[in-house]
Amino acid sequence: MFDAFWHLRGSLRLAGAAADDATLDRIQHFLERQCKAVSERSAHHVAFDDPLWRNFAEPNWLALVIFDRGTFWIERDRDERRLRYQLRSLHALIFCLFAAVLCFFFGLAAGSATAGLNYAALAFAWLYGMNILTALVRVPSAIRKALKEG
């Protein structure tokens, strides 16, 4: 149930006659441009495992910046091929929860537990919620662009 909080799942329809290997090569190059180290590559999928603390110097404007683990694979139906992906942002969630707890203590010191909860909720919604909402739009768009550029 709570799994959906830190996972972004999606799929894109693959048009054209590009082979599966060529598509996964494009995804691998996309991950490299996103500063995500590919941890596993097979004929059917590409995966990365890149904890947020591994490289603090990476640019923070990249589409996959908040995701610490992910998998891309191709599924075939009778009529179409789809690129499916599952991305995890558990480390970002934990970081944002920690920041929310700090805001709670600041609110508690400034007034009451209610003020602390309000500060914590606002901090969490701003830090994590805005990043996820942005990722919901940016990630599929960035993947589409990477597949078109080749």
Side-chain angles (χ1 to χ4, degrees), residues 29-102:
H29 293 312
F30 166 68
L31 291 175
E32 291 167 3
R33 286 191 309 270
Q34 293 286 317
C35 299
K36 298 297 180 186
V38 173
S39 61
E40 190 176 334
R41 169 73 195 259
S42 75
H44 307 291
H45 76 280
V46 176
F48 71 90
D49 186 9
D50 191 36
L52 292 180
W53 57 81
R54 183 175 290 167
N55 187 4
F56 287 114
E58 74 182 16
N60 63 358
W61 61 82
L62 299 172
L64 297 181
V65 71
I66 66 166
F67 298 103
D68 55 270
R69 184 177 291 166
T71 305
F72 296 83
W73 68 97
I74 296 174
E75 282 187 0
R76 292 179 174 272
D77 285 340
R78 285 179 274 144
D79 303 353
E80 67 180 5
R81 293 180 319 141
R82 296 193 75 78
L83 175 70
R84 299 212 180 265
Y85 57 90
Q86 177 174 320
L87 306 170
R88 185 184 84 166
S89 64
L90 182 61
H91 296 161
L93 175 79
I94 292 169
F95 172 78
C96 293
L97 283 174
F98 179 71
V101 167
L102 286 177

Side-chain angles (χ1 to χ4, degrees), residues 108-119:
L108 192 62
S112 66
T114 305
L117 286 174
N118 288 337
Y119 290 154

